[in-house]
Amino acid sequence: LSPDCSFTCHYRCRALVRLDCSGPPGAGDEDDGNEQVLEKDTNVDEPSEWEKTELDQAQVEQRIKEYNSQINSNLFMSLNKDGSYAGFIKVQLKLVRPVAVPATNRVPSLQAGRPHPQGVKRRTSFYLPKGTVKHLHILSHTRASEVIDALLRKFTVIDNPRKFALFERSEKDEQVYLRKLADDEQPLRLRLLAGPSEKVLSFILKENETGEVNWDAFTLPELHNFLLILQREEEEHLRRLRHRYACCRQKMQEAL
């Protein structure tokens, strides 16, 4: 908490915040590679209007033509015969903790006459370089959880995929908004609806916070927001559960 402007931030974000409360507005705005705008978690907000948009086949074809005409590279989207479409998304990896990868070293035998032809499998950990970016070629029905799996395979990361989450990032009115994608959301569909602009929409892979939290350290407004987040996650989980059982019930009825 700053005594000059009463600015409050999360304790893990404190080192990333640069404030000069005594200076004039706009001071210290030089871009040094760090975010100069405050990132706001919008898990409690409704999705944007374009995120709710449903497109028919003709609209999808038109959107793909518009998208391909706006990009400055050869990472085009293409429409498949079955009505699905394929394209590229760019994901930035912003991981603050090390990841585990397999390491196989051949260990010489310590006893004569007992060679060990097989390598000894071990794990090693390292930090991914800051600003690591990866392009993935995916389909329109590829889910966010599958994108996470693909990224981990690309970097041979053997950590549990549930340790990570895919976020969408957008900029509006000099404010950066982050929203955690549900497992079954389709990133390429969001990319098509948003267009190619990285400011309108970009994707980030971050850690999925699962550790113990000291709730007493938060203010009442923050705790109310967390309750709203829990409610939305619970509703989403129940929706997926009901959908699964409804599909199972329908198959049984068809069999009858």
Side-chain angles (χ1 to χ4, degrees), residues 184-198:
D184 57 354
E185 288 194 68
Q186 300 162 334
L188 190 62
R189 174 182 173 275
L190 297 177
R191 178 80 280 164
L192 178 63
L193 291 172
S197 172
E198 290 291 319

Side-chain angles (χ1 to χ4, degrees), residues 60 64 77-87 89 137-147 182-192:
V60 167
I64 290 176
M77 287 196 190
S78 58
L79 188 64
N80 299 323
K81 293 182 178 179
D82 61 0
S84 65
Y85 50 95
I89 62 169
H137 187 258
I138 62 175
L139 297 171
S140 54
H141 52 74
T142 303
R143 297 176 293 120
S145 59
E146 295 172 321
V147 169
D183 288 343
D184 57 354
E185 288 194 68
Q186 300 162 334
L188 190 62
R189 174 182 173 275
L190 297 177
R191 178 80 280 164
L192 178 63

Side-chain angles (χ1 to χ4, degrees), residues 101-110 114-124 158:
V101 297
T104 303
N105 296 327
R106 293 190 177 275
V107 180
S109 173
L110 299 179
R114 298 184 60 184
H116 294 272
Q118 299 296 328
V120 177
K121 292 184 178 180
R122 298 191 295 178
R123 291 162 59 105
T124 184
I158 57 178

Side-chain angles (χ1 to χ4, degrees), residues 115-175:
H116 294 272
Q118 299 296 328
V120 177
K121 292 184 178 180
R122 298 191 295 178
R123 291 162 59 105
T124 184
S125 298
F126 73 100
Y127 287 92
L128 283 173
K130 184 178 180 180
T132 299
V133 173
K134 188 67 180 178
H135 286 85
L136 292 177
H137 187 258
I138 62 175
L139 297 171
S140 54
H141 52 74
T142 303
R143 297 176 293 120
S145 59
E146 295 172 321
V147 169
I148 295 174
D149 290 339
L151 286 170
L152 298 184
R153 287 196 302 270
K154 291 284 187 180
F155 291 95
T156 65
V157 175
I158 57 178
D159 288 309
N160 191 324
R162 303 301 300 176
K163 292 183 178 180
F164 307 92
L166 192 64
F167 289 78
E168 67 170 22
R169 177 189 183 278
S170 59
E171 296 183 23
K172 183 179 180 182
D173 299 328
E174 299 183 356
Q175 184 83 26

